[in-house]
């Protein structure tokens, strides 16, 4: 979950983007998408800044976190399961002939101010620091989940530092934040341990983080969005294919979720619920 300081930094960026060290990757559908190489790797982190004029922040947050509804509109989604301790197992298609990718992640939704929403997702077990250093929390195929504590003083002023807020490592993002192990129910000190299931034909993504900040527009009819994203898809994938997939996938997702929000709003008005069931798409079985 974003700290209050990181939330304030995202709000500031929606007014004055901090992109000096970022490359403009896409300008599409009211969003500017930037990317920056992660030090000592061949990977990029991404952030997008934009505006939906017809989608309120609460509606976007609801649709963004509703995975059952997502199966009705996201053509790349294979399926999902909710596992122990709030872990989500999510599988998505990759362009043929690449295998699907599977994610094991935790998601939090936070409303730091009325109708201002932060949705954060991160794979269990691993994360990277802003210098590219891999922080590994795995131990014998188990993990101890780490979370960032939110400072007690609300809405602290943004710092002048240039570190990426969505790549901040728990416990290393400033004096106000520290990391703890999540307790199991009924215990304030016991550490939560989750054993990853046996790999299947999908390629397991071990590093993924996504943070989305949704802020109401002035007229209340739409919202401004700050979106941060990083993952390591693994496999020996040529950079040309990664660039093509990203340039086609991001615009499709931005437009797809907007259309899904508008359909949900129309269904809510007509009191007709969405269709939830969809057959699962089998793995291709082709390893990248």
């Amino acid at each position: 979950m974003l700290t209050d300081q990181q939330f304030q930094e995202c709000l500031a960026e929606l007014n004055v983007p901090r992109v000096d060290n970022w490359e403009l990757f896409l300008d599409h559908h009211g969003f500017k998408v930037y990317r920056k190489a992660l030090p000592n790797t061949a990977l990029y982190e991404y952030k997008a800044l934009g505006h939906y004029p017809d989608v309120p922040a609460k509606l976007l947050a609801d649709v963004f976190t509703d995975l059952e509804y997502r199966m009705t509109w996201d053509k790349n989604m294979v399926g999902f399961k909710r596992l122990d301790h709030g872990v989500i197992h999510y599988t998505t298609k990759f362009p043929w002939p690449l295998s699907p990718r599977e994610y094991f992640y935790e998601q939090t939704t936070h409303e730091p101010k009325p109708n201002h929403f932060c949705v954060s997702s991160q794979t269990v077990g691993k994360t990277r620091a802003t210098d590219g250093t891999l922080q590994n929390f795995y131990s014998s195929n188990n993990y101890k989940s780490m979370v960032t504590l939110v400072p007690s003083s609300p809405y602290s002023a943004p710092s002048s530092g240039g570190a990426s807020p969505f790549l901040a490592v728990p416990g290393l993002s400033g004096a106000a934040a520290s990391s703890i192990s999540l307790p199991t129910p009924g215990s304030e000190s016991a550490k939560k341990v989750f054993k990853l299931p046996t790999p299947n034909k999908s390629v397991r993504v071990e590093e993924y983080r996504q943070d989305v900040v949704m802020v109401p527009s002035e007229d209340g009819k739409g919202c401004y969005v700050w979106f941060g994203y990083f993952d390591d898809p693994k496999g020996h994938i040529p950079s040309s294919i990664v660039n093509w997939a990203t340039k086609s996938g991001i615009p499709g997702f931005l437009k797809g979720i907007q259309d899904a929000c508008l359909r949900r709003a129309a269904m809510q008005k007509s009191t007709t619920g969405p269709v939830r069931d969809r057959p699962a798409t089998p793995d291709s079985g082709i390893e990248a």
Side-chain angles (χ1 to χ4, degrees), residues 238-272:
S239 58
S240 59
I241 294 181
V242 173
N243 288 340
W244 171 81
T246 306
K247 285 188 174 180
S248 60
I250 290 178
F253 176 78
L254 293 174
K255 184 65 167 60
I257 196 168
Q258 181 186 29
D259 291 343
C261 288
L262 296 178
R263 284 196 297 272
R264 166 155 288 183
M267 287 187 290
Q268 288 173 342
K269 289 182 180 179
S270 64
T271 67
T272 302

Side-chain angles (χ1 to χ4, degrees), residues 1 84-87 105-108 122-125 137 143-149 170 178-194:
M1 185 173 68
D84 293 342
H85 307 304
V87 175
Y105 68 91
E106 294 173 306
Q107 185 177 81
T108 61
Q122 182 173 337
T123 44
V124 296
F137 301 129
Y143 82 93
K144 295 181 177 63
S145 180
M146 311 300 285
V147 297
T148 301
L149 295 178
S178 60
S179 59
I180 60 171
S181 296
L182 287 176
T184 53
S187 172
E188 292 299 322
S189 60
K191 292 181 178 180
K192 184 182 73 174
V193 177
F194 172 82

Side-chain angles (χ1 to χ4, degrees), residues 25-101:
F25 186 62
L26 284 173
D27 188 348
H28 179 83
H29 198 63
F31 281 79
K32 291 184 182 294
V33 181
Y34 300 89
R35 73 176 186 178
K36 181 171 66 174
L38 193 63
N40 304 314
T41 74
L43 304 171
Y44 287 90
E45 56 176 304
Y46 296 86
K47 68 178 176 182
L49 307 169
H51 175 224
Y52 286 124
D54 49 4
V55 177
K58 187 179 188 309
L59 175 61
L60 181 59
D62 289 343
V63 170
F64 200 90
T65 55
D66 189 339
L67 295 180
E68 291 184 355
Y69 182 44
R70 183 166 179 165
M71 291 189 68
T72 70
W73 61 267
D74 187 347
K75 64 181 181 181
N76 292 318
M77 182 178 179
V78 175
F80 78 100
K81 293 181 181 178
R82 298 191 183 276
L83 307 177
D84 293 342
H85 307 304
V87 175
I88 297 171
H89 176 210
Y90 183 96
T91 308
T92 186
K93 297 177 185 176
F94 260 47
W96 186 91
L98 303 180
S99 293
R101 262 53 179 175

Side-chain angles (χ1 to χ4, degrees), residues 97-201:
L98 303 180
S99 293
R101 262 53 179 175
E102 65 173 358
Y103 299 74
F104 291 88
Y105 68 91
E106 294 173 306
Q107 185 177 81
T108 61
T109 303
H110 181 47
E111 188 175 3
K113 296 173 63 176
N115 292 317
H116 291 59
F117 297 91
C118 300
V119 179
S120 298
S121 304
Q122 182 173 337
T123 44
V124 296
K126 292 187 180 182
T127 189
R128 275 184 195 269
T130 53
D131 64 357
T133 303
L134 181 62
Q135 308 293 315
N136 191 347
F137 301 129
Y138 280 102
S139 175
S140 301
N141 205 34
N142 291 343
Y143 82 93
K144 295 181 177 63
S145 180
M146 311 300 285
V147 297
T148 301
L149 295 178
V150 179
S152 57
S153 57
Y155 320 128
S156 54
S159 68
S160 57
S164 169
F166 79 92
L167 280 179
V169 176
L172 300 180
S173 57
S178 60
S179 59
I180 60 171
S181 296
L182 287 176
T184 53
S187 172
E188 292 299 322
S189 60
K191 292 181 178 180
K192 184 182 73 174
V193 177
F194 172 82
K195 187 171 183 178
L196 292 172
T198 303
N200 56 26
K201 294 180 181 180

